[in-house]
């Protein structure tokens, strides 16, 4: 005798679900702001550096006396434009996480080093000819320090950027200056001994800065830490999943 057949389980009829329309892609606001701030910063930095280059050329070509007209205004304008671009670049890299701009800044850093090297060679030439006064000497020193200051500012924009390779060309040019000093004051008759102060001052300043860059002893570390703290403070995720503060 066969067992009675069990009834089949009740299966609900197939229900076709309504498909939702595809969602439109939202604009990546953070990425857009990263690109916009990069271009704004790049434009400001380029403009300030081109203006500074023209200012330096005017001093060497036309003389310092012809460039003194409106000198404070020129310095203020170039300084404001540069620091504006530097600050916007800092926001683009550190806050919005721009990954392209650091590579551009590294290229600009090498271009700035080339400009400082050319300026250093030009100053050595002026010192060798000994046709300058005290005002021109301080102008030459200020221009060299200004170029190095711009290089350091660009260095601080990029995290984990190494300045040691930038010191090598400056050290080579410093050795060239030693050769010119030796030739001028040892092998040439009747040199002006009062000009020796200018030669050794420029040499001492440039060799000291180059040595500090090469030793990498962390002089700029406190400043870099303060900059990093501006973008890491109160950004740890809270328990609710939102940023604290």
């Amino acid at each position: 005798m066969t067992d009675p057949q069990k009834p089949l389980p009740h299966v609900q009829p197939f229900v076709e679900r309504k498909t939702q329309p595809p969602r439109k892609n939202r604009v990546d606001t953070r990425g857009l702001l990263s690109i916009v701030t990069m271009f704004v910063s790049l434009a400001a930095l380029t403009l300030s550096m081109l203006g500074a280059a023209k200012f330096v050329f005017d001093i060497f070509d036309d003389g310092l006396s012809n460039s003194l007209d409106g000198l404070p205004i020129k310095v203020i304008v170039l300084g404001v434009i540069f620091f504006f671009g530097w600050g916007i670049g800092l926001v683009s890299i550190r806050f919005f996480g721009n990954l392209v701009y650091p590579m551009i800044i590294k290229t600009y850093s090498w271009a700035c080093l080339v400009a400082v090297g050319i300026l250093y060679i030009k100053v050595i030439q002026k010192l060798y000819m000994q046709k300058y006064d005290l005002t021109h000497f301080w102008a030459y020193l200020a221009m060299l320090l200004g170029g190095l200051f711009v290089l350091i500012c660009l260095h601080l924009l990029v995290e984990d950027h190494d300045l040691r390779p930038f010191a090598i060309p400056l050290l080579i040019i410093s050795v060239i200056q030693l050769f010119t000093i030796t030739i001028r004051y040892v092998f040439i008759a009747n040199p002006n001994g009062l000009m020796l102060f200018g030669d050794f001052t420029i040499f001492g300043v440039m060799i000291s800065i180059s040595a500090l860059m090469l030793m990498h002893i962390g002089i700029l570390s406190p400043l870099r830490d303060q900059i990093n703290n501006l973008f890491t403070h109160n950004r740890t995720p809270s328990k609710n999943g939102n940023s604290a503060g």
Side-chain angles (χ1 to χ4, degrees):
M1 184 175 181
T2 61
D3 295 334
Q5 190 176 4
K6 297 181 179 180
L8 296 175
H10 179 68
V11 179
Q12 295 182 354
F14 178 77
V15 178
E16 183 180 359
R17 296 182 179 179
K18 297 182 179 180
T19 58
Q20 298 180 353
R23 296 181 180 179
K24 296 182 179 180
N25 294 329
R26 296 181 179 179
V27 177
D28 186 4
T29 305
R30 187 180 182 88
L32 180 61
L33 290 175
S34 173
I35 296 175
V36 171
T37 52
M38 179 185 70
F39 281 113
V40 171
S41 172
L42 187 61
L45 290 178
T46 303
L47 186 61
S48 63
M49 295 173 73
L50 289 177
K54 181 183 182 303
F55 181 64
V56 170
F57 288 144
D58 291 341
I59 291 179
F60 279 112
D61 294 338
D62 301 332
L64 186 61
S65 58
N66 296 330
S67 302
L68 287 177
D69 297 336
L71 176 62
I73 296 178
K74 294 179 182 179
V75 173
I76 292 174
V77 170
L78 292 176
V80 170
I81 295 175
F82 176 79
F83 282 111
F84 170 77
W86 185 84
I88 297 297
L90 196 65
V91 172
S92 178
I93 295 174
R94 302 296 183 89
F95 186 77
F96 292 119
N98 194 308
L99 300 178
V100 177
Y101 201 26
M103 295 185 289
I104 299 177
I105 291 297
K106 290 179 181 179
T107 304
Y108 267 54
S109 298
W110 283 105
C112 182
L113 178 66
V114 171
V116 172
I118 295 174
L119 178 61
Y120 190 11
I121 294 174
K122 188 68 176 179
V123 170
I124 293 174
Q125 180 184 359
K126 292 290 185 180
L127 295 176
Y128 182 83
M129 296 172 61
Q130 296 188 345
K131 295 181 180 180
Y132 63 93
D133 53 17
L134 188 60
T135 305
H136 281 82
F137 166 75
W138 291 115
Y140 298 154
L141 181 59
M143 288 188 296
L144 286 172
L145 292 177
L148 292 173
F149 177 77
V150 171
L151 178 61
I152 292 174
C153 288
L154 295 177
H155 159 72
L156 292 174
L157 276 178
V158 184
E159 295 183 89
D160 300 327
H161 188 246
D162 195 355
L163 269 180
R164 284 175 290 185
F166 293 81
I168 297 175
L170 297 178
L171 289 173
I172 294 174
I173 300 176
S174 297
V175 174
I176 296 175
Q177 186 181 9
L178 277 182
F179 278 102
T180 60
I181 292 174
T182 304
I183 294 173
R184 182 65 185 177
Y185 293 96
V186 176
F187 295 98
I188 295 180
N190 301 322
N192 188 351
L194 296 177
M195 298 294 185
L196 187 60
F197 169 79
D199 289 271
F200 278 127
T201 300
I202 296 291
F203 172 78
V205 170
M206 296 302 293
I207 197 69
S208 299
I209 295 177
S210 302
L212 291 174
M213 293 167 59
L214 191 62
M215 288 189 295
H216 196 65
I217 58 178
I219 294 179
L220 298 175
S221 295
L223 182 57
R224 182 181 290 277
D225 292 339
Q226 291 181 3
I227 294 175
N228 292 334
N229 291 334
L230 292 176
F231 300 97
T232 57
H233 184 61
N234 292 334
R235 291 179 62 184
T236 56
S238 61
K239 294 181 180 180
N240 297 327
N242 301 324
S243 297

